[in-house]
Amino acid sequence: MAAVTQTVEQVAGLEKYKHGFVTDIEQDFAPKGLNADIVRFISAKKNEPEWMLAWRLDAFERWLAMDEPDWAKVNFPKIDYQDSYYYAAPKEKVGINSLDEVDPDILETYKKLGIPLREQEVLAGVIGSPRYAVDAVFDSVSVVTTFKKELAQVGVIFCSMSEAIREHPELVRKYLGTVVPVSDNYFACLNAAVFSDGSFVYVPPGVRCPMELSTYFRINAENSGQFERTLIIADKGAYVSYLEGCTAPMRDENQLHAAVVELITLDDAEIKYSTVQNWYPGDPETGKGGIYNFVTKRADCRGDRSKVSWTQVETGSAITWKYPSCVLRGEGSSGEFYSIAITNGRQQADTGTKMIHLGANTRSRIIAKGISAGRSSNTYRGLVSAHPKAKGARNFTQCDSLLIGKQCAAHTVPYIEARNGQAKFEHEATTTRLSEDQLFYVMQRGLSQEEAVQLLVNGFVKDVLQELPMEFAVEAQKLVAISLEGSVG
Amino acid sequence: MSLTSAIRDRDVAQLPSRRDEDWRWTDLRGLIRILPQPSPPFAGDPGAGVFDPLATQVVTLANGRGEAVIYVPAGETAWVALRILSQGDGAHAARVSITLADGARLHLFETYEGEGGYVAQTSLALTLGEGAGVERIVLAADSAGGVSISQAEVTLSPKSEFAQTVLTCGGRRQRIETRVAHPGGHASLRLDGVYLLADKAHADLTTVVTHAGVDGLTEQLTKGVVRDQARGVFQGRIVVREGADRTDAKMGHHALILSDRAEVDAKPELEIYADDVACAHGNTVGALDEDAMFYARQRGMPEADARALLTEAFVGQVIDRIDHNEARDLVRGWAAERLRP
């Protein structure tokens, strides 16, 4: 009951989108538009080695020859790729060594967002409370990464992508682009050409990462796009849990966010990847503004008995186009996908997962909960496939959609491809509205309609919330409530 | 991109390909390099059809030739056997138009019979008046070398009933597509299917149901058994338009894969724009239940018999839903024959 009270309080005291403020700081921009020179500019800004620039230019060439995909159930005006800044970074004060040298405005921003960047602040909490290391990405650059030293002691590398390219080129070259190839799809290809930062994690064999790692993405600059690239490698027998959060200011124009996330697990390794996506969703009445969230996330379970678990809470963005996937290559490897996608106002989401069973005895599980309210549209699109060698592959999929209101839409588009006689796939899906009986029952106990809806929705998504790390679960629960605000009545 | 015009113009570029989302598993452009010459008239006597004894009227369309306009006047009941025959290696297209006046009833027994390496397309238009009822039973026995695409457009009226059971053993490429415009208004729809595939057969059962009005009912159950290197495809889409409240739609697809090289592809889709609905789909793909096999065998049943018994029971669930008694028995026999190796 405590969480519900908290949710209710939270909703009462909130504006519709609390992260919609802008931080006014001096920033470096690349010239507006996109061409080979911009790609060179970004690479030069990051002091990248020659091979990285060549990789980017090759991606750019390929991107020029590609067409924007149009198969998703989303509608938006054509994007003018020349009308955006591809690089925006807070003006750097030469050689930042400690957090004290970071622009106080940025620190203030993260404080306002509730992200602890000061290690002592994290420690100041109750003894024994969970700690987590943060990589803070502000527009195109990573401004700070915390707990690096402590992580280094156990051999875990956690740093920004630009730093990894400079400091650990052997690891980056070995793994970058091996899960999501450069020309995988239109947006991934664009990302490969212009990606500016992101997080890099390497967990050495047998190490269980001592704390949660997280990256917090913030788009701040106007007219800019964010293109980050995350690469996480869990070596043999390693384990890491990684969280990702994102917010952006409220603006009338649409901003593009095209990220790529690559996960690699070797034998017996496990990665747990959680996302709470809360980009600005645009104006709920007019649909103006908001982030276009076109993200490619894929995990390659290369090792035997390795495991990847995706958990996502998608509440923001004007448009979401995102399919975190698992390529289950290693024998006995397993993939999980737990998702809550909430759309309200004029939001459109087309999201789901792919579970590609290549190895024998691979297992996967998909639990997707979609909630549409207002005039939004919410699509689950997924693929489960078993190749001829994937003997004994098993999948269980459950996708449920909940509709709140007369003008919203919910779609389910699962693809199932079984190519051998020993695979076993089960899939079930339902689409309903909130049950009148349940609402009546809760309301006659004295809850208002809005509170009642929140309570029931929280029950509907419970299976997924349980999979989130604790500190995220509370936040996510609040987020669910806020996202649905104004959808009843 | 219509098959009819592709056949007419002998233009392979108009054939649907893997790039067309609705045809990704039934690629025709990759299969047909050159569209054959138009089929010559059917030669010889086609003999009697399996459903002839149950029908009061037999309508035969052979190699795309023949008149097929069926009309059932208000309040009357008709039993029609519709035979669609294909012979040789040519290409042909056939059209069938069926209209039921208010309150009319029709038992439609439809068979596809073929021999040779033909490319055949059949378009059916079925229109039901208010309170009219149709039970359509389709037995598709195309030849292993034949390409056959059957596309039916069904338009329901309020309070009408449409029930369909399709049984197929596939072809070189075969697709049986049913699109239903569902007005709601207590009209009820049942769309069932069974595919029994062996060797290199391919069968695609595709359905699209569009609910446009309140109080619509749809029930779908498709089951498949594939062995050898066969490939079964099921694509079901239920669309509930804005305002089509109190729609109740259920879709089930269950398939058994009995060999290591067979394939089943399924896409059970829901597209919903109204909130007061109850829509659900379930989909399973897997091997025969080993526990059930063990049980049957420890009772002394040879393996082949046990397998046949269990697969017959599996698809029997669909066949049991056929209303017409004699047709149901006939269909059950047809299925059993194809399940026993």
Side-chain angles (χ1 to χ4, degrees):
Chain A
M1 217 42 211
V4 176
T5 322
Q6 216 176 359
T7 309
V8 173
E9 280 168 9
Q10 188 84 11
V11 170
L14 270 170
E15 295 287 321
K16 282 201 170 71
Y17 185 74
K18 69 166 174 172
H19 309 296
F21 61 90
V22 182
T23 311
D24 193 12
I25 51 158
E26 264 194 280
Q27 288 196 301
D28 262 344
F29 285 100
K32 221 177 193 177
L34 181 57
N35 52 49
D37 286 335
I38 297 290
V39 176
R40 283 193 192 93
F41 175 94
I42 295 170
S43 187
K45 268 277 169 201
K46 319 232 106 203
N47 291 323
E48 283 175 2
E50 196 57 36
W51 59 266
M52 199 61 230
L53 176 63
W55 197 76
R56 285 174 180 276
L57 287 171
D58 170 53
F60 182 67
E61 280 292 312
R62 291 175 191 226
W63 180 74
L64 287 176
M66 291 170 99
D67 291 322
E68 199 176 311
D70 57 3
W71 43 260
K73 260 192 188 62
V74 291
N75 280 310
F76 55 91
K78 211 158 170 40
I79 300 169
D80 181 359
Y81 291 92
Q82 297 305 333
D83 190 33
S84 182
Y85 293 104
Y86 286 82
Y87 183 80
K91 274 231 161 80
E92 212 177 319
K93 301 193 170 78
V94 189
I96 293 178
N97 290 316
S98 79
L99 205 60
D100 299 331
E101 292 168 39
V102 174
D103 194 319
D105 284 338
I106 294 180
L107 290 183
E108 188 55 36
T109 303
Y110 280 92
K111 203 168 170 186
K112 229 163 142 182
L113 295 170
I115 311 301
L117 289 187
R118 288 177 186 279
E119 295 177 17
Q120 62 270 37
E121 279 174 12
V122 183
L123 293 166
V126 187
I127 294 166
S129 70
R131 292 177 304 157
Y132 53 101
V134 180
D135 181 24
V137 177
F138 195 83
D139 285 329
S140 302
V141 291
S142 160
V143 285
V144 66
T145 311
T146 61
F147 287 107
K148 268 160 86 169
K149 269 193 201 139
E150 200 172 327
L151 289 169
Q153 280 170 7
V154 290
V156 175
I157 303 170
F158 179 41
C159 61
S160 72
M161 198 65 184
S162 345
E163 196 180 327
I165 292 170
R166 289 193 303 266
E167 311 285 326
H168 309 284
E170 70 298 339
L171 285 172
V172 175
R173 283 187 92 159
K174 186 169 170 193
Y175 293 110
L176 187 73
T178 59
V179 183
V180 180
V182 168
S183 49
D184 185 80
N185 67 67
Y186 188 78
F187 298 111
C189 193
L190 175 65
N191 174 287
V194 301
F195 80 86
S196 41
D197 222 327
S199 306
F200 175 84
V201 178
Y202 173 77
V203 189
V207 171
R208 193 180 165 87
C209 188
M211 62 181 90
E212 306 267 345
L213 304 184
S214 80
T215 300
Y216 199 88
F217 296 102
R218 172 79 179 166
I219 296 181
N220 185 61
E222 213 167 339
N223 276 322
S224 68
Q226 191 176 53
F227 305 90
E228 84 272 2
R229 203 166 176 111
T230 298
L231 175 59
I232 302 177
I233 303 135
D235 214 320
K236 289 178 183 169
Y239 168 84
V240 61
S241 165
Y242 182 91
L243 324 168
E244 178 195 77
C246 1
T247 57
M250 291 163 77
R251 289 190 206 283
D252 273 353
E253 93 259 9
N254 298 107
Q255 285 176 286
L256 180 62
H257 172 254
V260 171
V261 175
E262 296 178 283
L263 309 184
I264 295 156
T265 49
L266 303 183
D267 288 356
D268 301 297
E270 180 177 348
I271 298 176
K272 187 176 165 66
Y273 194 105
S274 317
T275 307
V276 174
Q277 187 264 100
N278 189 20
W279 295 116
Y280 176 53
D283 187 277
E285 295 303 322
T286 61
K288 248 189 162 177
I291 303 289
Y292 289 169
N293 191 34
F294 300 148
V295 179
T296 307
K297 291 183 167 182
R298 194 172 303 155
D300 190 353
C301 295
R302 279 182 204 173
D304 294 345
R305 300 166 302 278
S306 64
K307 179 177 174 185
V308 167
S309 170
W310 296 102
T311 307
Q312 60 170 21
V313 179
E314 300 280 320
T315 58
S317 296
I319 295 172
T320 303
W321 180 100
K322 176 178 166 185
Y323 315 91
S325 316
C326 293
V327 181
L328 302 165
R329 205 184 296 272
E331 208 177 303
S333 59
S334 67
E336 289 174 353
F337 176 76
Y338 299 97
S339 165
I340 301 171
I342 302 175
T343 54
N344 198 353
R346 300 253 180 183
Q347 282 176 276
Q348 303 174 55
D350 193 308
T351 183
T353 184
K354 287 184 193 178
M355 292 291 173
I356 298 162
H357 293 258
L358 300 178
N361 299 317
T362 46
R363 281 162 298 141
S364 64
R365 185 183 170 85
I366 300 169
I367 310 282
K369 306 272 182 181
I371 300 164
S372 7
R375 280 190 250 184
S376 66
S377 149
N378 199 331
T379 305
Y380 168 83
R381 187 184 300 275
L383 166 73
V384 177
S385 76
H387 286 245
K389 283 182 184 160
K391 310 281 178 224
R394 292 208 59 165
N395 166 267
F396 174 75
T397 301
Q398 187 182 345
C399 33
D400 297 321
S401 307
L402 192 64
L403 293 148
I404 304 175
K406 288 260 163 248
Q407 287 167 306
C408 53
H411 315 305
T412 317
V413 191
Y415 289 76
I416 297 125
E417 296 179 350
R419 288 198 214 135
N420 78 68
Q422 289 163 44
K424 195 167 178 184
F425 290 168
E426 289 167 80
H427 173 106
E428 53 186 78
T430 61
T431 304
T432 48
R433 69 166 174 174
L434 274 183
S435 145
E436 290 288 339
D437 291 351
Q438 289 177 5
L439 264 181
F440 176 75
Y441 178 82
V442 178
M443 281 170 67
Q444 56 118 338
R445 294 285 164 135
L447 291 188
S448 72
Q449 194 179 15
E450 193 137 327
E451 290 162 348
V453 168
Q454 280 159 19
L455 181 69
L456 295 180
V457 167
N458 269 321
F460 175 74
V461 299
K462 193 182 70 192
D463 296 349
V464 177
L465 286 178
Q466 279 170 347
E467 295 298 320
L468 283 170
M470 198 183 54
E471 51 280 87
F472 257 30
V474 178
E475 191 190 327
Q477 201 167 28
K478 289 176 192 163
L479 209 53
V480 168
I482 295 159
S483 303
L484 288 172
E485 198 182 355
S487 62
V488 194
Chain B
M1 205 207 59
S2 121
L3 193 61
T4 326
S5 61
I7 290 175
R8 187 189 59 220
D9 304 341
R10 295 194 63 208
D11 178 10
V12 283
Q14 294 182 44
L15 293 173
S17 74
R18 278 179 61 86
R19 291 188 151 267
D20 301 300
E21 204 53 30
D22 282 349
W23 292 83
R24 56 181 276 133
W25 291 318
T26 305
D27 176 16
L28 294 183
R29 200 176 313 172
L31 180 82
I32 301 170
R33 297 277 163 226
I34 301 165
L35 272 160
Q37 296 285 347
S39 298
F42 194 91
D45 176 17
V50 280
F51 283 121
D52 288 3
L54 306 184
T56 50
Q57 186 190 351
V58 178
V59 176
T60 306
L61 281 166
N63 280 6
R65 289 165 179 84
E67 185 75 13
V69 177
I70 298 163
Y71 177 78
V72 188
E76 290 188 17
T77 303
W79 290 263
V80 176
L82 173 64
R83 297 181 67 194
I84 295 153
L85 312 177
S86 296
Q87 183 188 60
D89 298 328
H92 53 265
R95 289 195 153 276
V96 181
S97 158
I98 298 169
T99 311
L100 278 86
D102 292 352
R105 304 204 81 78
L106 171 68
H107 296 275
L108 180 66
F109 309 111
E110 190 176 321
T111 49
Y112 292 80
E113 300 156 58
E115 66 185 63
Y118 51 86
V119 175
Q121 196 260 350
T122 312
S123 313
L124 297 101
L126 288 110
T127 310
L128 280 73
E130 206 166 305
V134 171
E135 181 169 40
R136 179 185 183 211
I137 297 167
V138 181
L139 284 188
D142 275 296
S143 85
V147 175
S148 167
I149 309 294
S150 157
Q151 294 168 302
E153 296 272 352
V154 181
T155 310
L156 304 182
S157 292
K159 297 194 193 115
S160 62
E161 281 172 34
F162 185 84
Q164 169 176 306
T165 308
V166 176
L167 284 99
T168 178
C169 50
R172 183 161 171 236
R173 279 284 194 292
Q174 184 201 55
R175 169 145 156 162
I176 298 172
E177 190 180 301
T178 313
R179 292 174 181 266
V180 183
H182 198 311
H186 300 284
S188 84
L189 173 67
R190 173 168 70 73
L191 287 180
D192 291 351
V194 171
Y195 52 90
L196 308 169
L197 309 178
D199 300 322
K200 287 186 172 173
H202 172 285
D204 172 344
L205 295 181
T206 293
T207 61
V208 178
V209 179
T210 308
H211 282 267
V214 294
D215 293 314
L217 180 71
T218 294
E219 255 193 65
Q220 264 189 282
L221 180 62
T222 300
K223 290 198 168 195
V225 178
V226 291
R227 60 178 89 224
D228 305 326
Q229 294 173 53
R231 186 187 201 187
V233 175
F234 169 76
Q235 302 190 99
R237 185 187 302 150
I238 294 176
V239 182
V240 180
R241 293 246 171 270
E242 210 168 306
D245 283 334
R246 300 193 296 273
T247 293
D248 187 348
K250 282 187 205 76
M251 184 197 294
H253 169 250
H254 307 283
L256 289 178
I257 304 187
L258 299 184
S259 85
D260 274 353
R261 297 176 70 189
E263 175 170 348
V264 170
D265 301 310
K267 185 165 69 152
E269 240 180 292
L270 298 173
E271 198 177 318
I272 294 165
Y273 299 91
D275 77 329
D276 187 4
V277 297
C279 295
H281 67 227
N283 182 80
T284 56
V285 180
L288 209 53
D289 183 2
E290 281 308 315
D291 290 347
M293 273 296 283
F294 177 76
Y295 180 82
R297 296 206 55 200
Q298 57 120 343
R299 294 284 161 142
M301 205 176 276
E303 188 174 340
D305 287 359
R307 212 170 278 279
L309 182 79
L310 289 172
T311 47
E312 271 168 48
F314 176 75
V315 299
Q317 231 185 336
V318 179
I319 297 169
D320 285 347
R321 287 154 63 111
I322 295 175
D323 276 336
H324 194 284
N325 287 331
E326 287 114 329
R328 188 173 55 234
D329 293 341
L330 206 149
V331 164
R332 192 176 284 123
W334 189 89
E337 218 172 277
R338 276 153 186 87
L339 284 170
R340 291 192 185 260

